[in-house]
Amino acid sequence: MKPSELIRISGHQQLSLAARRAITLLWHNAHRQGIEEGKDYTIEIASLRTDGHKGSGVVEEAIISLMQTVLTAQLPDGKTRRVQFLGGNDMDDPGRPRGVLTYSFDKRLVEILKDSRIWGRIAIPVLMAFSSKYAVSLYENASQWAGLSHKTWHEMSLGEFRDLLGVEKSKYPAFGALNKHVVKPAIEEINALAPFNVQVIPLKEGRAVARIRLGWWAKDQEQLKAAFAESQRSRVGRRARISGTVEHVGPMPSIDTMGRRARLATRDLLDED
């Protein structure tokens, strides 16, 4: 589980895939040890090595990046809170077989973690299977909504959607490029690995995409089995295995309510690519 305040965040645009996965692992580990102000948490460095062949350098880079990145959260009383993703920490020699990272969170972040009442359901094996940092962010956000019985889609501005994904402001300013390089690959991975499917529908104002409608629905038993099987396979060749699933995972149950304009916009953008 992960607090939704840490899922619905901004300021993570520059975080790498390793850093985005690491903060979830660090939070998950802290949750198991109990959230308290001033508490230090410990985790084996080996568990943060999501790509073992890259060694511990990637872990160190992720830790430093998290320390240097500011999380921005909107509090219930309307205040804006800014805090580092990760506080002070001590790291054993990464070469030690059972080296340990001892870490902490800022007290203002601890308050958010302790007071959170809304939880996103993050499956760690699924998280670790992603190869796209944007898939990680989209998956974590969708996870907090996917289990709701009264809601099957969420609409937001294009700017909010980019922020949700953690896309750098200078990258892919046109939606066609964003769709091709960020959205499609993320959706393909989520629909191949997660226990739910997602769909992104662009909504136009005039000729430009202004808003995004993100929809989700549960997988059936056969799709769940296929997703689990894929998560157990090597990442090598995964892109080829799952290519095209964004258009062929089956219709979203509430698709008819999404409007003819949205469907036409999707068709037009797919034709452009």
Side-chain angles (χ1 to χ4, degrees):
M1 298 187 296
K2 184 176 181 182
S4 63
E5 289 89 347
L6 278 188
I7 296 173
R8 296 196 305 269
I9 60 174
S10 61
H12 62 303
Q13 287 82 356
Q14 72 270 34
L15 292 181
S16 65
L17 170 63
R20 295 188 193 200
R21 289 193 295 209
I23 190 59
T24 296
L25 292 171
L26 293 173
W27 159 244
H28 175 71
N29 179 69
H31 170 72
R32 294 173 64 183
Q33 296 179 22
I35 297 296
E36 297 177 17
E37 184 176 333
K39 183 173 181 175
D40 282 340
Y41 307 94
T42 59
I43 188 170
E44 290 190 3
I45 297 172
S47 66
L48 299 174
R49 292 193 193 107
T50 55
D51 298 297
H53 64 282
K54 293 183 179 179
S56 299
V58 173
V59 175
E60 293 184 88
E61 291 175 5
I63 295 302
I64 293 172
S65 179
L66 290 170
M67 293 180 68
Q68 296 175 338
T69 304
V70 175
L71 175 155
T72 302
Q74 298 299 319
L75 304 182
D77 61 4
K79 292 181 179 178
T80 298
R81 174 160 295 177
R82 297 179 181 87
V83 63
Q84 293 167 295
F85 273 83
L86 183 64
N89 56 86
D90 297 318
M91 191 172 186
D92 286 343
D93 179 358
R96 289 177 54 188
R98 299 185 68 83
V100 170
L101 173 72
T102 303
Y103 63 99
S104 61
F105 296 116
D106 185 286
K107 67 178 184 179
R108 289 176 175 79
L109 181 55
V110 169
E111 289 177 14
I112 294 176
L113 303 182
K114 290 179 67 174
D115 294 341
S116 179
R117 295 294 181 269
I118 305 173
W119 302 85
R121 294 181 294 181
I122 308 300
I124 298 300
V126 173
L127 180 82
M128 304 300 279
F130 290 132
S131 62
S132 163
K133 65 180 182 179
Y134 304 117
V136 169
S137 295
L138 182 58
Y139 164 72
E140 291 191 341
N141 278 275
S143 291
Q144 66 179 308
W145 297 317
L148 300 177
S149 60
H150 64 282
K151 186 173 184 177
T152 58
W153 56 269
H154 181 72
E155 191 172 308
M156 68 200 86
S157 71
L158 179 58
E160 290 171 332
F161 182 62
R162 288 177 60 92
D163 198 41
L164 177 150
L165 292 172
V167 180
E168 300 86 332
K169 290 184 179 180
S170 60
K171 295 188 72 172
Y172 314 120
F175 184 79
L178 180 74
N179 188 44
K180 179 179 180 180
H181 298 292
V182 174
V183 179
K184 282 186 175 182
I187 289 177
E188 286 184 0
E189 284 204 317
I190 292 171
N191 288 352
L193 297 165
F196 53 84
N197 292 320
V198 296
Q199 184 176 57
V200 171
I201 294 180
L203 305 175
K204 288 186 174 181
E205 291 181 3
R207 297 179 60 86
V209 174
R211 300 188 66 78
I212 294 294
R213 188 166 289 177
L214 172 64
W216 56 86
W217 65 102
K219 283 182 165 71
D220 60 30
Q221 287 300 314
E222 290 303 313
Q223 290 174 328
L224 285 171
K225 291 178 182 178
F228 176 78
E230 182 58 44
S231 71
Q232 304 304 301
R233 297 190 183 106
S234 169
R235 292 192 195 128
V236 178
R238 176 167 291 155
R239 183 62 60 88
R241 291 194 298 271
I242 68 177
S243 179
T245 55
V246 63
E247 283 85 26
H248 302 292
V249 294
M252 183 175 172
S254 60
I255 190 67
D256 290 338
T257 68
M258 291 192 172
R260 183 171 181 272
R261 182 179 62 154
R263 294 196 295 274
L264 291 175
T266 303
R267 185 188 66 187
D268 292 343
L269 286 164
L270 293 177
D271 288 342
E272 288 176 9
D273 292 332

